[in-house]
Amino acid sequence: MLKTHKIALAPNNVQATQFAQHCGYARVAYNHALADFKAGLDEKVWRSHIELCRRFNVIKYEQYDWCKAMSQCVSKNAIYTNLNDAVSRWKSGQNRFPKFKKRSHHKSYQADSGRGSISVVGKRIRLPKIGWVRTFETLRYLGTICKVIISKQGHRWFASILVDTFVDDPIPDPRGKPVVGVDVGIKHLAVTSEGQYFENPKALRRHERKLKRLQRQFSRKVKGSRNWYKLKDKIAKLHYRITCIRNDAHHKATTAIVKGASRIGIESLNVAGMITNHRLAKALADASLSTFLEMLKYKSERTDVKVVEADRFYPSSKTCSACGVIDSDLSLSDRTYHCSACGHTQDRDLNAAINLRTVAEGHSETQNACCFESRFIGVEIL
Ligand SMILES: [Zn+2]
């Protein structure tokens, strides 16, 4: 089983500079080979990644003599993996034609030279040309290291380590665990039919004022000046912090939900449609609900828990969980669901979660819900 562990690194100043140089080398190799590939297309010659790499190797010590101090697997990986992937995605019609990488682009490079070429011992990782670098954690999985990608996020360097584990995880016994419906939203990140509430950290909103202030200061600085770079780093650091807060809440909630369920019912989100509502757009982006559901899905898959997705037009918030009547007058501000037919009163999110559980149990006639008018989709999940 392939698993990735992303570990924060604690390089010294020399090593951090070497990381940045290697990222630069990967970018140069990628751009050179891409230019070469483009030139080939103009001459009606198709150059494969092997050919491109060979041609780059011929000229690299003359044109880029500084690269002698770098690990040479970096340029090979940039052409063999990154450029080759980009070209094949373009060839199959999946993506547009690859672009040149900018200096300001996300910094990363692939450091390994194949399976088992990099070793991790305790809280240290050994990278080609750079040597032993301290890490913040020990590697979580036992197995062969297949791939190591070094990248920078905010002010911090990371190593994403792909491990081929020796043993697969034991699949937990689903017996005795309930079927769980999960309703996601802005007020609460997730509410389960078991009555569990997971708070939405509203990471962006908490730091919005600080971020705005920094951005305002940044706009007044002379581009390229020392203070300009200082503020740029500060902003990147704050963005990184916001992402961390969000990810932490997502991971904790999804793990807790998957651990306590034998089957999960969720709604299918139309986020693109919802984001057109300007008043909600920012709050929705802050909660990043689709990432949450994706996380829930891959974690369920790992532990063999089935995920049932309700039909896109299924009115999970507007249906009464007691008698099944649909109340189309329910507005976004109604936090409590009150059924006019049977008098059932319940928290709005909990009511929706119970409906989604019913879908997962396979009792609800979701196909009938298709005729439900599409004007409700936008607000359905909230
Ligand atoms: Zn009812």
Side-chain angles (χ1 to χ4, degrees):
M1 194 186 227
L2 292 173
K3 281 186 165 181
T4 310
H5 187 188
K6 191 172 176 182
I7 306 181
L9 300 172
N12 58 34
N13 284 344
V14 177
Q15 289 169 336
T17 311
Q18 282 175 317
F19 283 159
Q21 286 168 339
H22 277 86
C23 291
Y25 184 33
R27 188 189 76 238
V28 166
Y30 181 95
N31 285 348
H32 182 97
L34 178 57
D36 200 11
F37 177 70
K38 265 184 159 174
L41 286 185
D42 293 341
E43 296 160 24
K44 306 237 169 340
V45 196
W46 182 273
R47 291 188 182 125
S48 70
H49 59 284
I50 301 166
E51 173 78 4
L52 289 169
C53 194
R54 201 186 53 74
R55 285 167 64 91
F56 178 74
N57 284 340
V58 171
I59 58 95
K60 67 180 176 186
Y61 292 123
E62 281 170 38
Q63 259 189 47
Y64 312 106
D65 63 332
W66 43 263
C67 79
K68 281 174 198 159
M70 315 274 157
S71 158
Q72 295 308 318
C73 16
V74 171
S75 61
K76 189 189 167 195
N77 287 333
I79 299 169
Y80 265 59
T81 317
N82 302 358
L83 184 65
N84 187 30
D85 284 354
V87 168
S88 36
R89 274 197 296 270
W90 163 69
K91 204 176 159 192
S92 66
Q94 197 186 332
N95 280 11
R96 286 195 219 165
F97 193 79
K99 281 183 185 164
F100 290 109
K101 288 199 194 301
K102 286 182 185 168
R103 193 189 277 259
S104 58
H105 188 259
H106 167 74
K107 286 185 177 57
S108 75
Y109 76 94
Q110 190 182 331
D112 62 281
S113 57
R115 270 176 84 96
S117 62
I118 284 184
S119 48
V120 177
V121 179
K123 285 187 179 178
R124 291 192 307 164
I125 182 169
R126 192 184 180 162
L127 297 167
K129 283 279 176 184
I130 297 172
W132 290 101
V133 180
R134 285 187 303 141
T135 61
F136 277 88
E137 283 173 85
T138 52
L139 189 59
R140 200 178 291 152
Y141 310 115
L142 265 181
T144 317
I145 294 173
C146 305
K147 199 172 175 182
V148 174
I149 292 173
I150 306 294
S151 62
K152 194 179 189 190
Q153 210 181 343
H155 59 301
R156 192 153 273 174
W157 288 96
F158 289 92
S160 293
I161 306 172
L162 181 72
V163 184
D164 192 356
T165 54
F166 296 136
V167 275
D168 288 352
D169 283 353
I171 289 174
D173 191 358
R175 279 173 301 185
K177 286 183 189 168
V179 178
V180 174
V182 182
D183 179 67
V184 293
I186 292 171
K187 182 100 193 302
H188 301 284
L189 186 60
V191 176
T192 69
S193 54
E194 300 293 294
Q196 270 176 302
Y197 284 75
F198 295 96
E199 284 310 312
N200 179 3
K202 296 184 180 159
L204 179 64
R205 202 164 112 194
R206 259 205 262 166
H207 292 89
E208 210 171 15
R209 279 182 60 186
K210 201 176 174 188
L211 189 63
K212 268 192 179 159
R213 200 180 64 230
L214 287 176
Q215 277 164 342
R216 210 160 41 228
Q217 286 173 359
F218 183 60
S219 69
R220 293 194 198 114
K221 296 285 176 270
V222 180
K223 195 177 174 184
S225 69
R226 212 158 230 255
N227 284 329
W228 185 82
Y229 276 113
K230 265 190 216 164
L231 271 168
K232 201 178 169 209
D233 287 351
K234 260 191 186 172
I235 293 172
K237 210 168 166 178
L238 187 59
H239 272 300
Y240 170 65
R241 186 165 163 66
I242 292 168
T243 318
C244 286
I245 294 172
R246 191 180 291 144
N247 278 348
D248 180 55
H250 281 187
H251 274 298
K252 280 177 183 158
T254 46
T255 303
I257 293 169
V258 172
K259 269 189 181 166
S262 58
R263 191 189 279 196
I264 297 172
I266 55 169
E267 55 210 323
S268 46
L269 289 181
N270 173 20
V271 176
M274 291 187 301
I275 233 136
T276 49
N277 181 341
H278 290 295
R279 270 189 277 176
L280 289 176
K282 197 190 274 176
L284 271 168
D286 195 6
S288 57
L289 299 175
S290 13
T291 322
F292 180 85
L293 291 182
E294 281 311 312
M295 217 179 248
L296 198 65
K297 278 183 209 162
Y298 85 73
K299 285 186 183 176
S300 315
E301 203 175 309
R302 240 186 226 172
T303 47
D304 219 16
V305 174
K306 200 183 172 211
V307 172
V308 183
E309 226 172 301
D311 187 274
R312 201 195 238 207
F313 300 112
Y314 177 68
S316 61
S317 300
K318 294 181 205 300
T319 309
C320 172
S321 60
C323 67
V325 164
I326 295 169
D327 173 15
S328 53
D329 293 333
L330 191 77
S331 80
L332 252 178
S333 51
D334 297 336
R335 296 313 309 172
T336 315
Y337 186 89
H338 182 79
C339 178
S340 47
C342 72
H344 177 69
T345 306
Q346 200 168 32
D347 178 68
R348 172 201 179 92
D349 297 329
L350 190 58
N351 178 58
I354 291 171
N355 284 326
L356 289 164
R357 178 180 68 191
T358 319
V359 172
E361 281 166 345
H363 292 316
S364 183
E365 296 177 18
T366 43
Q367 63 270 32
N368 288 353
C370 291
C371 56
F372 207 74
E373 285 177 49
S374 59
R375 67 188 155 95
F376 296 122
I377 327 164
V379 290
E380 189 56 57
I381 60 121
L382 306 160

